[in-house]
Amino acid sequence: MGYDITRFQGVVDEDLICPICRGVLDDPIQAIDCEHAFCKVCISQRFTQQHTCPVDQSVLIFDRICPVPRIMLKMLAKLMISCDNAVYGCRVVTRLDNLVAHFRDCEYNPKRPVTCDRGCNLVMANDELPQHNCIKHLHFQLEQQQKNISELEKISAEQKKQLVEQKQDLRDLKAYMRVLNMRNPTFQQDEIWQWVYTLQPAKVTQWDCIISTPDAMLKVVLRRSLVETGCPTSFVNQLMENSQEHKWPQGLATLEMRQMNQHYYENYVTRHILGLQAVLMMAYENQHMDENMVREPGIIIMFGHGVEDLLDA
């Protein structure tokens, strides 16, 4: 619907008036064939009932309606119109293209956002301020926050429960896979298994001498030792990756955790890497250990000293 023509100063050109609502064009569009212009809303509503131009009764085709020429838009923009809030006391007369911006900030606008200056700083519509009660609002906010916290706590508790269940399922699955591996009659024929059992069982007497990040030279020596002892080529890279702190399980991953869990380490089944102060701990030989102490398929730890062959201890 167009703007009330009585709101405009001076005479408005007839070409700028919608022939349907008789108001000044709002969001205007034009029929290509007859070149008559209409408010977009007005012509859309007319199309639900009839398809003829209200001026000359020519047939209107929806696909042949387009935006009005730019010159018509410029003419509309220059028209001077009174504020929508004139009924509330605003005496401003502004260009039509500035009306929206003025209305938003108009001090007479009943819906202009204002901030309560009585203590709660709530932003509300201007016409709501006289009836606003800060205490009532703050009580409502408190109730909403308490409700939200309660809902979040329920969600958190449910999520924690699901997490515990998922962790248990994972532990059960790992245990089941280990049992299957141990029971598989072909498993002991695997070349990795065969290699592991060529390594001497070891005893670590100085767990506080762990080298958590071996330097380049130590890595070269370790790789050479693995190859020389017959470690399958496909397995060497995995073990080399798992010889550094960032690849270890949670119970070994930091100095703090190592100090906290040191009394558990004597329960590890370890195997001596020939020629080095280093041990291999395979996951399937340590299924008795807690899951945060084991990494699939196994890890290597190097020491400054304190590794002995178990038979010689």
Side-chain angles (χ1 to χ4, degrees), residues 46-223:
R46 182 178 177 85
F47 261 111
T48 63
Q49 299 175 349
Q50 49 189 311
H51 294 74
T52 56
C53 173
V55 179
D56 60 14
Q57 304 304 311
S58 62
V59 176
L60 294 179
I61 301 173
F62 189 79
D63 291 340
R64 293 185 59 77
I65 290 180
C66 65
V68 297
R70 183 176 299 178
I71 189 171
M72 182 176 286
L73 293 177
K74 288 183 177 181
M75 292 172 61
L76 285 166
K78 293 178 181 179
L79 294 178
M80 301 300 292
I81 185 172
S82 61
C83 176
D84 297 71
N85 298 314
V87 293
Y88 300 110
C90 182
R91 295 293 177 260
V92 171
V93 176
T94 184
R95 281 173 50 121
L96 184 57
D97 59 354
N98 188 51
L99 182 62
V100 173
H102 166 73
F103 178 78
R104 182 180 59 247
D105 300 324
C106 178
E107 61 179 312
Y108 293 93
N109 180 4
K111 297 303 178 182
R112 179 171 63 91
V114 294
T115 302
C116 173
D117 59 0
R118 288 175 282 180
C120 71
N121 294 321
L122 176 67
V123 177
M124 70 194 79
N126 192 24
D127 60 351
E128 296 176 7
L129 188 59
Q131 292 78 36
H132 172 63
N133 184 311
C134 291
I135 300 299
K136 184 177 180 180
H137 167 69
L138 291 174
H139 273 300
F140 174 76
Q141 276 198 325
L142 180 60
E143 290 174 359
Q144 289 298 113
Q145 286 183 340
Q146 290 174 336
K147 181 180 178 181
N148 291 340
I149 290 173
S150 177
E151 291 176 352
L152 288 174
E153 286 176 343
K154 290 179 181 178
I155 293 174
S156 178
E158 182 62 28
Q159 288 178 335
K160 287 178 180 178
K161 180 181 177 182
Q162 291 177 0
L163 183 59
V164 170
E165 291 175 350
Q166 289 173 357
K167 285 185 175 180
Q168 184 59 52
D169 289 344
L170 183 59
R171 283 194 292 268
D172 292 345
L173 180 59
K174 286 183 175 180
Y176 179 64
M177 290 177 65
R178 287 171 183 159
V179 169
L180 286 181
N181 284 336
M182 296 301 291
R183 289 180 177 176
N184 188 338
T186 65
F187 183 78
Q188 291 191 5
Q189 305 304 315
D190 185 274
E191 59 177 346
I192 294 175
W193 175 268
Q194 292 179 9
W195 169 73
V196 169
Y197 269 79
T198 66
L199 302 179
Q200 188 70 36
K203 177 180 180 180
V204 178
T205 61
Q206 298 291 329
W207 282 97
D208 56 347
C209 294
I210 287 176
I211 300 175
S212 58
T213 53
D215 59 26
M217 182 59 69
L218 277 175
K219 291 179 182 177
V220 170
V221 174
L222 175 58
R223 180 180 290 274

Side-chain angles (χ1 to χ4, degrees), residues 1 18 38 74 106 127 173 201 210 262 305 312:
M1 299 293 289
C18 174
F38 319 95
K74 288 183 177 181
C106 178
D127 60 351
L173 180 59
I210 287 176
Q262 190 167 346
H305 56 83
D312 298 336

